[in-house]
Amino acid sequence: MIRNTDYGARRTLKPAQQWIGGQSGPWFALVHYLEAHLEYKPPASWAKHTDNWPLAQKLLAADQLRLCYRHITGAERLNEEELRVWGQLYAAEVAYQDHALGRLIDWLRQSGRLDDTLVIVVADHGESLGEQGLLNHLYGLYDPLIHVPLVMRGPGVRRGQRVSGLVQTSDIYGTVLSAAGIATASDRPSLLDEAAQRDFVVSEYGQPRMPRRDLLDRFALQESHFAPYMRSLTAIRTAQHKLITGSDGGVEFYDLIDDAAESTNLAATSAATAEMQRLQTLLHAWQDDARVSAADESSMPVEIDPAVEAQLKALGYLD
């Protein structure tokens, strides 16, 4: 029997309505949906939008985590048609999640709150669907993972405007503070300021953990299968180029205009040397600034609710 799952999108609406409806003054709400994550098993009415339903049923019934890790490590690759339908199941999850978000926005409109509410819709990451041999959101900093949707609507936002400049999701922090009339530091740009543009953006992928022994057994894999991926990554990109460096010494360099799929690593070519060095210099300066900021913030007392701490540990965000 195929188990189609709602990971919480349907159940999120009511508590969000109750909390927002109980606010008598300015408010901030973070509504986080988990639908667009493995396993891709959306409710049946959404899953049936795939155009190869027999194969979709096979993938829906499969241990998708096992398929994912065996594909990444090269132990058992999904074929081209399986990857195509795999992507359609992911798209169905996204569509279902968008439907759930639409219900919340419709309620904001019907309750008279929408016009004076800044709504920001953003993904914390994208998803690899076979590009560079990867699946899920693991082991890479290629554009399918880090080039994510960002949509804003509300006071101070020009309707119908599409901005093509570079943005970091960290810019949302300064944007929310600016919209609330709170002064921000100069390194916290607001996306509501049309003059604020970035010459480059940075992404980081922390040191991954080796899968647990029980998962290795479940996937019929060994630790050696994952050895090439046990490194942290940092990417710096401009409008045209991206430099990816790994803690294992690996270097990748791409021309995103000529090679949007990031299929040809130019790091070893002499023509790329000057731009790679420039980006490396920018990255080192950014990292130095980040260390100073982190040192300043680490001296500030932080209290974490024990229940929240337990949840974060269960999700793997805290040791």
Side-chain angles (χ1 to χ4, degrees), residues 65-79 83 130-135 138-139 219-229:
L65 287 176
R66 189 177 192 274
L67 292 178
C68 169
Y69 281 100
R70 289 185 64 79
H71 180 91
I72 290 174
T73 57
E76 184 181 3
R77 295 282 192 180
L78 297 175
N79 62 40
L83 284 174
E131 304 90 349
Q132 286 83 23
L134 298 176
L135 295 175
L138 297 166
Y139 308 138
F219 305 148
L221 295 171
Q222 302 296 323
E223 288 189 357
S224 58
H225 287 99
F226 293 90
Y229 302 109

Side-chain angles (χ1 to χ4, degrees), residues 16 30 38 76 94 106 120 161 194 228 264 285 290:
L30 173 63
L38 275 178
E76 184 181 3
V94 173
D106 284 344
I120 302 176
Q161 181 182 20
E194 296 182 14
T264 303

Side-chain angles (χ1 to χ4, degrees), residues 122 146 148 150 165-173 175 187-189 191 198 200-203 235-237 286:
V122 64
I146 65 174
V148 300
L150 172 58
L166 297 172
V167 171
Q168 289 187 170
T169 51
S170 59
D171 296 338
I172 294 172
Y173 176 74
T175 303
D187 63 343
R188 297 291 188 182
L191 299 176
R198 288 185 177 271
F200 66 90
V201 290
V202 176
S203 302
I236 179 170
R237 67 162 291 172
W286 181 89

Side-chain angles (χ1 to χ4, degrees), residues 8 33 82 89 105 140 147-148 194 205 207 221 227 231 243 255-256 258 264 271 309:
Y33 295 96
E82 288 170 332
L89 290 175
I105 292 175
H147 188 185
V148 300
E194 296 182 14
Y205 185 94
Q207 181 72 29
L221 295 171
R231 79 278 192 252
L243 175 69
D255 186 321
L256 301 173
D258 293 338
T264 303
E309 184 176 7

Side-chain angles (χ1 to χ4, degrees):
M1 180 178 178
I2 297 173
R3 177 179 61 86
N4 300 101
T5 306
D6 177 293
Y7 291 109
R10 182 180 65 250
R11 290 168 288 158
T12 298
L13 179 62
K14 186 174 181 180
Q17 289 174 324
Q18 290 177 334
W19 186 87
I20 294 171
Q23 305 309 304
S24 58
W27 54 271
F28 171 85
L30 173 63
V31 183
H32 187 82
Y33 295 96
L34 289 172
E35 307 307 306
H37 287 75
L38 275 178
E39 295 182 303
Y40 309 143
K41 297 187 177 182
S45 59
W46 296 86
K48 287 183 178 179
H49 288 295
T50 56
D51 60 17
N52 186 338
W53 181 234
L55 180 53
Q57 288 179 299
K58 177 183 175 182
L59 292 174
L60 286 168
D63 182 342
Q64 292 184 3
L65 287 176
R66 189 177 192 274
L67 292 178
C68 169
Y69 281 100
R70 289 185 64 79
H71 180 91
I72 290 174
T73 57
E76 184 181 3
R77 295 282 192 180
L78 297 175
N79 62 40
E80 186 175 336
E81 178 64 6
E82 288 170 332
L83 284 174
R84 190 181 70 83
V85 177
W86 180 276
Q88 289 182 346
L89 290 175
Y90 172 71
E93 287 279 25
V94 173
Y96 176 61
Q97 179 174 292
D98 284 351
H99 169 73
L101 175 61
R103 293 179 64 199
L104 177 58
I105 292 175
D106 284 344
W107 174 78
L108 289 172
R109 180 181 292 108
Q110 294 162 6
S111 64
R113 293 178 171 87
L114 185 61
D115 287 342
D116 61 357
T117 298
L118 176 63
V119 178
I120 302 176
V121 180
V122 64
D124 53 348
H125 57 75
E127 202 82 339
S128 296
L129 299 171
E131 304 90 349
Q132 286 83 23
L134 298 176
L135 295 175
N136 204 359
H137 43 277
L138 297 166
Y139 308 138
L141 287 176
Y142 302 108
D143 268 15
L145 208 62
I146 65 174
H147 188 185
V148 300
L150 172 58
V151 181
M152 301 195 304
R153 181 203 190 278
V157 180
R158 185 182 301 177
R159 290 195 175 194
Q161 181 182 20
R162 180 165 185 160
V163 179
S164 59
L166 297 172
V167 171
Q168 289 187 170
T169 51
S170 59
D171 296 338
I172 294 172
Y173 176 74
T175 303
V176 172
L177 293 181
S178 176
I182 301 172
T184 64
S186 58
D187 63 343
R188 297 291 188 182
S190 168
L191 299 176
L192 299 175
D193 180 3
E194 296 182 14
Q197 295 189 14
R198 288 185 177 271
D199 296 323
F200 66 90
V201 290
V202 176
S203 302
E204 296 179 294
Y205 185 94
Q207 181 72 29
R209 297 180 179 181
M210 184 67 68
R212 302 190 311 266
R213 182 74 255 172
D214 62 311
L215 291 179
L216 291 172
D217 292 341
R218 170 179 163 186
F219 305 148
L221 295 171
Q222 302 296 323
E223 288 189 357
S224 58
H225 287 99
F226 293 90
Y229 302 109
M230 293 297 107
R231 79 278 192 252
S232 60
L233 298 168
T234 303
I236 179 170
R237 67 162 291 172
T238 63
Q240 181 172 359
H241 296 111
K242 180 192 286 184
L243 175 69
I244 304 174
T245 58
S247 59
D248 59 353
V251 179
E252 299 174 61
F253 182 76
Y254 299 100
D255 186 321
L256 301 173
I257 294 179
D258 293 338
D259 179 24
E262 299 167 276
S263 57
T264 303
N265 183 5
L266 302 174
T269 63
S270 58
T273 301
E275 181 63 9
M276 287 176 58
Q277 290 177 342
R278 188 181 80 88
L279 292 181
Q280 193 71 264
T281 299
L282 289 173
L283 179 59
H284 288 160
W286 181 89
Q287 290 172 327
D288 288 342
D289 288 343
R291 290 189 190 97
V292 172
S293 297
D296 290 342
E297 292 177 0
S298 65
S299 64
M300 300 172 62
V302 177
E303 293 185 11
I304 302 179
D305 182 276
V308 173
E309 184 176 7
Q311 290 176 327
L312 290 173
K313 286 182 177 179
L315 291 168
Y317 292 121
L318 291 177
D319 291 326

